[in-house]
Amino acid sequence: MSLDKTQPAPLLPSQLAYLAELADQRRLSPRTVSSYHRDLAALNQLAAEGAQDRGTHAHLGQSVEQLLTFHIRRFVAQLHGRGLSGRSLARTLSAWRGYYGWLGRQGKIQSNPCADLRPPRSPKHLPNTLSVDQTMQLLDSPTNEESADSRLTCRDQAIFELLYSSGLRLSELASLDVDALKSILEESEVRVTGKRGKMRIVPVGRKAQEALVLWSEVRYEFAADEEIALFVSRRGNRLSTRMIQESLRQWAIRHGSETHVHPHMLRHSFASHVLQSSGDLRAVQEMLGHASIASTQIYTHLDFQHLAQVYDKAHPRAKR
């Protein structure tokens, strides 16, 4: 019987136990656990395909646990050949390496076959940001649709102002409850829970506070009974991340933006603009919730890119 390559191989009990530990003990986000789930399913699929190509019928669990470094290297090459980028392969290898490390701690394998493997390099892409003028135009301009529900416009305005004001991740904003309003309005700060359950406190600016006041005055007209979410949909339940993404996309179109605007772009713009004005990399790192300063340093490249553009336009000897 031939292997159906359109369906991913099911996960092994050991893999499910590993993912459960990531979710329950290490408290990784559901999105990260879901990505690891797909990566482990891909590993099983590749192992099954390899066994079929060799004409063997080894039990899938046994074959996966007995894979060696040269097997993993070949799998990485196969995925790269199928179009996966170096960044995607790095995440995949991280999932596999973590799983084999877990197996090692359980005493099921002697060595980690992924330990010394590195993904192929990919070109580094700087994050897309809006200029200060573009951001002001996006957030300040009134919508052109008179028929649009002004109460939902208040909600969207509050969401986008808060994203830009505090540099929140989309998941962090969507998970805010209504009790967050107290500290936002009284202390000018918001407490959020980021990656790996790490909590941080971020300042909230005046414009975002004003927008949130307007939304708080009409939220009760939408929120279902006992709904604790700060931002709710027309149906009264918590607004999903997908709905926030779509709302921002439509908002940008109505405001005449020629750029595809997404929530993370507002986070990138927040970081870039604060760094350009202050030059304080550590403060930006704290506000973004980055575990490593290396993650924040990419915004220094954006800042230099901006300076280089100014130089090219202004310096009399910059152009031929």
Side-chain angles (χ1 to χ4, degrees), residues 283-319:
V284 174
Q285 177 192 4
E286 286 294 322
M287 288 187 282
L288 290 177
H290 285 163
S292 170
I293 193 71
S295 300
T296 318
Q297 284 175 330
I298 190 170
Y299 297 106
T300 64
H301 296 294
L302 288 174
D303 194 27
F304 177 79
Q305 189 178 59
H306 170 72
L307 292 175
Q309 290 173 350
V310 172
Y311 175 85
D312 286 343
K313 291 180 180 179
H315 196 288
R317 303 285 282 182
K319 298 179 180 179

mmCIF file of all heavy atoms in Angstrom, residues 283-319:
data_model
loop_
_atom_site.group_PDB
_atom_site.id
_atom_site.type_symbol
_atom_site.label_atom_id
_atom_site.label_comp_id
_atom_site.label_asym_id
_atom_site.label_seq_id
_atom_site.Cartn_x
_atom_site.Cartn_y
_atom_site.Cartn_z
ATOM 1 N N ALA A 283 15.342 50.310 26.702
ATOM 2 C CA ALA A 283 13.958 50.662 27.024
ATOM 3 C C ALA A 283 12.997 50.068 26.001
ATOM 4 O O ALA A 283 11.934 49.543 26.364
ATOM 5 C CB ALA A 283 13.804 52.178 27.080
ATOM 6 N N VAL A 284 13.367 50.129 24.727
ATOM 7 C CA VAL A 284 12.524 49.547 23.685
ATOM 8 C C VAL A 284 12.426 48.034 23.875
ATOM 9 O O VAL A 284 11.351 47.442 23.707
ATOM 10 C CB VAL A 284 13.077 49.895 22.287
ATOM 11 C CG1 VAL A 284 12.296 49.176 21.195
ATOM 12 C CG2 VAL A 284 13.022 51.405 22.063
ATOM 13 N N GLN A 285 13.544 47.399 24.239
ATOM 14 C CA GLN A 285 13.526 45.965 24.508
ATOM 15 C C GLN A 285 12.523 45.622 25.613
ATOM 16 O O GLN A 285 11.733 44.674 25.494
ATOM 17 C CB GLN A 285 14.913 45.480 24.922
ATOM 18 C CG GLN A 285 14.959 43.993 25.283
ATOM 19 C CD GLN A 285 16.257 43.593 25.973
ATOM 20 O OE1 GLN A 285 17.104 44.442 26.262
ATOM 21 N NE2 GLN A 285 16.410 42.312 26.247
ATOM 22 N N GLU A 286 12.535 46.409 26.689
ATOM 23 C CA GLU A 286 11.626 46.160 27.807
ATOM 24 C C GLU A 286 10.173 46.333 27.378
ATOM 25 O O GLU A 286 9.307 45.537 27.725
ATOM 26 C CB GLU A 286 11.950 47.107 28.964
ATOM 27 C CG GLU A 286 13.206 46.756 29.731
ATOM 28 C CD GLU A 286 13.070 45.438 30.472
ATOM 29 O OE1 GLU A 286 11.978 45.157 31.003
ATOM 30 O OE2 GLU A 286 14.054 44.673 30.504
ATOM 31 N N MET A 287 9.905 47.392 26.628
ATOM 32 C CA MET A 287 8.524 47.652 26.220
ATOM 33 C C MET A 287 8.002 46.616 25.245
ATOM 34 O O MET A 287 6.822 46.268 25.257
ATOM 35 C CB MET A 287 8.415 49.064 25.638
ATOM 36 C CG MET A 287 8.521 50.154 26.698
ATOM 37 S SD MET A 287 8.212 51.818 26.078
ATOM 38 C CE MET A 287 9.766 52.190 25.272
ATOM 39 N N LEU A 288 8.879 46.097 24.379
ATOM 40 C CA LEU A 288 8.464 45.068 23.423
ATOM 41 C C LEU A 288 8.368 43.694 24.075
ATOM 42 O O LEU A 288 7.714 42.795 23.537
ATOM 43 C CB LEU A 288 9.450 45.007 22.253
ATOM 44 C CG LEU A 288 9.456 46.192 21.293
ATOM 45 C CD1 LEU A 288 10.538 46.019 20.241
ATOM 46 C CD2 LEU A 288 8.096 46.369 20.617
ATOM 47 N N GLY A 289 9.048 43.508 25.206
ATOM 48 C CA GLY A 289 9.031 42.206 25.858
ATOM 49 C C GLY A 289 9.953 41.207 25.216
ATOM 50 O O GLY A 289 9.718 40.003 25.275
ATOM 51 N N HIS A 290 11.033 41.687 24.577
ATOM 52 C CA HIS A 290 12.009 40.792 23.965
ATOM 53 C C HIS A 290 12.897 40.179 25.042
ATOM 54 O O HIS A 290 13.436 40.873 25.907
ATOM 55 C CB HIS A 290 12.900 41.554 22.972
ATOM 56 C CG HIS A 290 12.206 41.873 21.689
ATOM 57 N ND1 HIS A 290 12.672 42.831 20.804
ATOM 58 C CD2 HIS A 290 11.085 41.369 21.122
ATOM 59 C CE1 HIS A 290 11.853 42.899 19.758
ATOM 60 N NE2 HIS A 290 10.891 42.028 19.932
ATOM 61 N N ALA A 291 13.075 38.864 24.979
ATOM 62 C CA ALA A 291 13.951 38.194 25.937
ATOM 63 C C ALA A 291 15.410 38.532 25.663
ATOM 64 O O ALA A 291 16.223 38.590 26.582
ATOM 65 C CB ALA A 291 13.729 36.681 25.876
ATOM 66 N N SER A 292 15.751 38.750 24.407
ATOM 67 C CA SER A 292 17.127 39.030 24.018
ATOM 68 C C SER A 292 17.220 40.391 23.339
ATOM 69 O O SER A 292 16.353 40.759 22.536
ATOM 70 C CB SER A 292 17.650 37.943 23.068
ATOM 71 O OG SER A 292 18.890 38.304 22.496
ATOM 72 N N ILE A 293 18.269 41.113 23.651
ATOM 73 C CA ILE A 293 18.489 42.418 23.016
ATOM 74 C C ILE A 293 18.734 42.261 21.519
ATOM 75 O O ILE A 293 18.472 43.183 20.737
ATOM 76 C CB ILE A 293 19.688 43.140 23.675
ATOM 77 C CG1 ILE A 293 19.745 44.619 23.251
ATOM 78 C CG2 ILE A 293 21.002 42.446 23.349
ATOM 79 C CD1 ILE A 293 18.651 45.453 23.838
ATOM 80 N N ALA A 294 19.175 41.067 21.108
ATOM 81 C CA ALA A 294 19.432 40.831 19.684
ATOM 82 C C ALA A 294 18.160 40.980 18.862
ATOM 83 O O ALA A 294 18.196 41.406 17.707
ATOM 84 C CB ALA A 294 20.041 39.443 19.481
ATOM 85 N N SER A 295 17.013 40.614 19.450
ATOM 86 C CA SER A 295 15.738 40.745 18.733
ATOM 87 C C SER A 295 15.376 42.199 18.513
ATOM 88 O O SER A 295 14.712 42.553 17.532
ATOM 89 C CB SER A 295 14.620 40.047 19.516
ATOM 90 O OG SER A 295 14.898 38.673 19.677
ATOM 91 N N THR A 296 15.803 43.060 19.428
ATOM 92 C CA THR A 296 15.481 44.481 19.346
ATOM 93 C C THR A 296 16.436 45.221 18.428
ATOM 94 O O THR A 296 16.079 46.261 17.861
ATOM 95 C CB THR A 296 15.526 45.107 20.754
ATOM 96 O OG1 THR A 296 14.918 44.214 21.687
ATOM 97 C CG2 THR A 296 14.783 46.432 20.786
ATOM 98 N N GLN A 297 17.642 44.699 18.265
ATOM 99 C CA GLN A 297 18.668 45.414 17.504
ATOM 100 C C GLN A 297 18.312 45.581 16.036
ATOM 101 O O GLN A 297 18.898 46.427 15.361
ATOM 102 C CB GLN A 297 20.007 44.691 17.644
ATOM 103 C CG GLN A 297 20.665 44.920 18.994
ATOM 104 C CD GLN A 297 21.928 44.107 19.169
ATOM 105 O OE1 GLN A 297 22.060 43.008 18.609
ATOM 106 N NE2 GLN A 297 22.864 44.615 19.953
ATOM 107 N N ILE A 298 17.360 44.796 15.541
ATOM 108 C CA ILE A 298 16.977 44.944 14.134
ATOM 109 C C ILE A 298 16.443 46.343 13.872
ATOM 110 O O ILE A 298 16.576 46.885 12.771
ATOM 111 C CB ILE A 298 15.937 43.872 13.736
ATOM 112 C CG1 ILE A 298 15.728 43.886 12.218
ATOM 113 C CG2 ILE A 298 14.617 44.082 14.460
ATOM 114 C CD1 ILE A 298 14.915 42.729 11.708
ATOM 115 N N TYR A 299 15.884 46.996 14.911
ATOM 116 C CA TYR A 299 15.333 48.332 14.725
ATOM 117 C C TYR A 299 16.427 49.376 14.608
ATOM 118 O O TYR A 299 16.184 50.481 14.108
ATOM 119 C CB TYR A 299 14.367 48.664 15.866
ATOM 120 C CG TYR A 299 13.185 47.730 15.876
ATOM 121 C CD1 TYR A 299 13.063 46.732 16.839
ATOM 122 C CD2 TYR A 299 12.199 47.816 14.897
ATOM 123 C CE1 TYR A 299 11.994 45.853 16.839
ATOM 124 C CE2 TYR A 299 11.129 46.937 14.872
ATOM 125 C CZ TYR A 299 11.032 45.954 15.850
ATOM 126 O OH TYR A 299 9.981 45.075 15.829
ATOM 127 N N THR A 300 17.631 49.044 15.063
ATOM 128 C CA THR A 300 18.752 49.966 14.834
ATOM 129 C C THR A 300 19.096 49.998 13.356
ATOM 130 O O THR A 300 19.537 51.027 12.843
ATOM 131 C CB THR A 300 19.986 49.553 15.649
ATOM 132 O OG1 THR A 300 20.452 48.276 15.203
ATOM 133 C CG2 THR A 300 19.668 49.495 17.124
ATOM 134 N N HIS A 301 18.913 48.876 12.670
ATOM 135 C CA HIS A 301 19.149 48.844 11.222
ATOM 136 C C HIS A 301 18.117 49.704 10.496
ATOM 137 O O HIS A 301 18.432 50.385 9.521
ATOM 138 C CB HIS A 301 19.100 47.410 10.703
ATOM 139 C CG HIS A 301 20.172 46.539 11.262
ATOM 140 N ND1 HIS A 301 21.511 46.729 11.002
ATOM 141 C CD2 HIS A 301 20.108 45.462 12.082
ATOM 142 C CE1 HIS A 301 22.230 45.815 11.621
ATOM 143 N NE2 HIS A 301 21.405 45.033 12.292
ATOM 144 N N LEU A 302 16.874 49.678 10.983
ATOM 145 C CA LEU A 302 15.849 50.525 10.383
ATOM 146 C C LEU A 302 16.188 51.991 10.576
ATOM 147 O O LEU A 302 16.017 52.822 9.681
ATOM 148 C CB LEU A 302 14.489 50.220 11.030
ATOM 149 C CG LEU A 302 13.832 48.888 10.682
ATOM 150 C CD1 LEU A 302 12.573 48.699 11.521
ATOM 151 C CD2 LEU A 302 13.488 48.799 9.205
ATOM 152 N N ASP A 303 16.688 52.313 11.779
ATOM 153 C CA ASP A 303 17.054 53.685 12.073
ATOM 154 C C ASP A 303 18.188 54.141 11.163
ATOM 155 O O ASP A 303 18.177 55.255 10.627
ATOM 156 C CB ASP A 303 17.471 53.787 13.545
ATOM 157 C CG ASP A 303 17.540 55.235 14.017
ATOM 158 O OD1 ASP A 303 16.826 56.074 13.446
ATOM 159 O OD2 ASP A 303 18.310 55.524 14.933
ATOM 160 N N PHE A 304 19.186 53.278 10.978
ATOM 161 C CA PHE A 304 20.299 53.620 10.096
ATOM 162 C C PHE A 304 19.819 53.764 8.657
ATOM 163 O O PHE A 304 20.280 54.638 7.921
ATOM 164 C CB PHE A 304 21.387 52.552 10.172
ATOM 165 C CG PHE A 304 22.540 52.819 9.234
ATOM 166 C CD1 PHE A 304 23.529 53.739 9.559
ATOM 167 C CD2 PHE A 304 22.619 52.164 8.010
ATOM 168 C CE1 PHE A 304 24.576 53.999 8.692
ATOM 169 C CE2 PHE A 304 23.662 52.416 7.138
ATOM 170 C CZ PHE A 304 24.646 53.335 7.482
ATOM 171 N N GLN A 305 18.890 52.903 8.252
ATOM 172 C CA GLN A 305 18.352 52.977 6.894
ATOM 173 C C GLN A 305 17.699 54.341 6.665
ATOM 174 O O GLN A 305 17.859 54.961 5.616
ATOM 175 C CB GLN A 305 17.333 51.849 6.697
ATOM 176 C CG GLN A 305 16.859 51.677 5.275
ATOM 177 C CD GLN A 305 15.895 50.509 5.154
ATOM 178 O OE1 GLN A 305 14.849 50.493 5.803
ATOM 179 N NE2 GLN A 305 16.247 49.525 4.355
ATOM 180 N N HIS A 306 16.969 54.815 7.682
ATOM 181 C CA HIS A 306 16.336 56.130 7.575
ATOM 182 C C HIS A 306 17.395 57.233 7.468
ATOM 183 O O HIS A 306 17.296 58.141 6.635
ATOM 184 C CB HIS A 306 15.449 56.365 8.799
ATOM 185 C CG HIS A 306 14.944 57.774 8.921
ATOM 186 N ND1 HIS A 306 13.971 58.290 8.090
ATOM 187 C CD2 HIS A 306 15.290 58.784 9.775
ATOM 188 C CE1 HIS A 306 13.734 59.542 8.418
ATOM 189 N NE2 HIS A 306 14.515 59.865 9.435
ATOM 190 N N LEU A 307 18.442 57.142 8.301
ATOM 191 C CA LEU A 307 19.508 58.142 8.264
ATOM 192 C C LEU A 307 20.220 58.131 6.912
ATOM 193 O O LEU A 307 20.579 59.188 6.383
ATOM 194 C CB LEU A 307 20.501 57.882 9.399
ATOM 195 C CG LEU A 307 19.991 58.103 10.820
ATOM 196 C CD1 LEU A 307 21.052 57.678 11.819
ATOM 197 C CD2 LEU A 307 19.599 59.557 11.035
ATOM 198 N N ALA A 308 20.418 56.915 6.374
ATOM 199 C CA ALA A 308 21.088 56.811 5.077
ATOM 200 C C ALA A 308 20.270 57.470 3.976
ATOM 201 O O ALA A 308 20.818 58.105 3.067
ATOM 202 C CB ALA A 308 21.345 55.341 4.745
ATOM 203 N N GLN A 309 18.951 57.337 4.056
ATOM 204 C CA GLN A 309 18.095 57.962 3.056
ATOM 205 C C GLN A 309 18.167 59.487 3.150
ATOM 206 O O GLN A 309 18.210 60.185 2.133
ATOM 207 C CB GLN A 309 16.655 57.480 3.243
ATOM 208 C CG GLN A 309 16.452 56.023 2.870
ATOM 209 C CD GLN A 309 15.064 55.519 3.231
ATOM 210 O OE1 GLN A 309 14.305 56.195 3.925
ATOM 211 N NE2 GLN A 309 14.736 54.322 2.773
ATOM 212 N N VAL A 310 18.182 59.985 4.400
ATOM 213 C CA VAL A 310 18.317 61.428 4.593
ATOM 214 C C VAL A 310 19.652 61.915 4.035
ATOM 215 O O VAL A 310 19.737 62.946 3.361
ATOM 216 C CB VAL A 310 18.186 61.778 6.094
ATOM 217 C CG1 VAL A 310 18.525 63.259 6.337
ATOM 218 C CG2 VAL A 310 16.781 61.464 6.590
ATOM 219 N N TYR A 311 20.705 61.144 4.310
ATOM 220 C CA TYR A 311 22.046 61.496 3.822
ATOM 221 C C TYR A 311 22.074 61.541 2.298
ATOM 222 O O TYR A 311 22.592 62.485 1.705
ATOM 223 C CB TYR A 311 23.049 60.472 4.344
ATOM 224 C CG TYR A 311 24.451 60.654 3.803
ATOM 225 C CD1 TYR A 311 25.347 61.538 4.399
ATOM 226 C CD2 TYR A 311 24.885 59.926 2.687
ATOM 227 C CE1 TYR A 311 26.634 61.711 3.901
ATOM 228 C CE2 TYR A 311 26.165 60.083 2.179
ATOM 229 C CZ TYR A 311 27.034 60.975 2.793
ATOM 230 O OH TYR A 311 28.288 61.136 2.285
ATOM 231 N N ASP A 312 21.493 60.522 1.678
ATOM 232 C CA ASP A 312 21.506 60.459 0.214
ATOM 233 C C ASP A 312 20.797 61.660 -0.415
ATOM 234 O O ASP A 312 21.189 62.144 -1.475
ATOM 235 C CB ASP A 312 20.840 59.164 -0.259
ATOM 236 C CG ASP A 312 21.735 57.952 -0.024
ATOM 237 O OD1 ASP A 312 22.946 58.138 0.181
ATOM 238 O OD2 ASP A 312 21.209 56.818 -0.028
ATOM 239 N N LYS A 313 19.762 62.122 0.257
ATOM 240 C CA LYS A 313 18.996 63.248 -0.289
ATOM 241 C C LYS A 313 19.661 64.594 -0.003
ATOM 242 O O LYS A 313 19.549 65.533 -0.794
ATOM 243 C CB LYS A 313 17.571 63.245 0.309
ATOM 244 C CG LYS A 313 16.706 62.093 -0.148
ATOM 245 C CD LYS A 313 15.327 62.174 0.504
ATOM 246 C CE LYS A 313 14.459 61.013 0.035
ATOM 247 N NZ LYS A 313 13.115 61.045 0.681
ATOM 248 N N ALA A 314 20.374 64.678 1.127
ATOM 249 C CA ALA A 314 20.853 65.990 1.581
ATOM 250 C C ALA A 314 22.310 66.266 1.266
ATOM 251 O O ALA A 314 22.685 67.419 1.029
ATOM 252 C CB ALA A 314 20.616 66.112 3.101
ATOM 253 N N HIS A 315 23.154 65.260 1.265
ATOM 254 C CA HIS A 315 24.591 65.525 1.133
ATOM 255 C C HIS A 315 24.951 65.787 -0.329
ATOM 256 O O HIS A 315 24.608 65.014 -1.210
ATOM 257 C CB HIS A 315 25.394 64.330 1.667
ATOM 258 C CG HIS A 315 26.839 64.661 1.936
ATOM 259 N ND1 HIS A 315 27.753 64.870 0.941
ATOM 260 C CD2 HIS A 315 27.504 64.853 3.095
ATOM 261 C CE1 HIS A 315 28.928 65.152 1.461
ATOM 262 N NE2 HIS A 315 28.813 65.148 2.790
ATOM 263 N N PRO A 316 25.662 66.889 -0.594
ATOM 264 C CA PRO A 316 25.957 67.242 -1.999
ATOM 265 C C PRO A 316 26.890 66.261 -2.684
ATOM 266 O O PRO A 316 26.924 66.229 -3.919
ATOM 267 C CB PRO A 316 26.620 68.623 -1.869
ATOM 268 C CG PRO A 316 27.123 68.674 -0.459
ATOM 269 C CD PRO A 316 26.147 67.894 0.356
ATOM 270 N N ARG A 317 27.624 65.455 -1.928
ATOM 271 C CA ARG A 317 28.561 64.510 -2.537
ATOM 272 C C ARG A 317 28.058 63.068 -2.434
ATOM 273 O O ARG A 317 28.798 62.119 -2.677
ATOM 274 C CB ARG A 317 29.926 64.612 -1.879
ATOM 275 C CG ARG A 317 30.537 66.002 -1.921
ATOM 276 C CD ARG A 317 31.071 66.364 -3.292
ATOM 277 N NE ARG A 317 32.352 65.731 -3.560
ATOM 278 C CZ ARG A 317 33.043 65.915 -4.655
ATOM 279 N NH1 ARG A 317 32.588 66.738 -5.595
ATOM 280 N NH2 ARG A 317 34.209 65.312 -4.830
ATOM 281 N N ALA A 318 26.803 62.911 -2.041
ATOM 282 C CA ALA A 318 26.291 61.553 -1.847
ATOM 283 C C ALA A 318 25.955 60.897 -3.173
ATOM 284 O O ALA A 318 26.003 59.680 -3.293
ATOM 285 C CB ALA A 318 25.053 61.586 -0.960
ATOM 286 N N LYS A 319 25.599 61.700 -4.183
ATOM 287 C CA LYS A 319 25.206 61.136 -5.464
ATOM 288 C C LYS A 319 26.249 61.466 -6.512
ATOM 289 O O LYS A 319 27.013 62.412 -6.379
ATOM 290 C CB LYS A 319 23.853 61.725 -5.902
ATOM 291 C CG LYS A 319 22.716 61.383 -4.928
ATOM 292 C CD LYS A 319 21.424 62.006 -5.400
ATOM 293 C CE LYS A 319 20.273 61.690 -4.468
ATOM 294 N NZ LYS A 319 19.004 62.316 -4.890
#
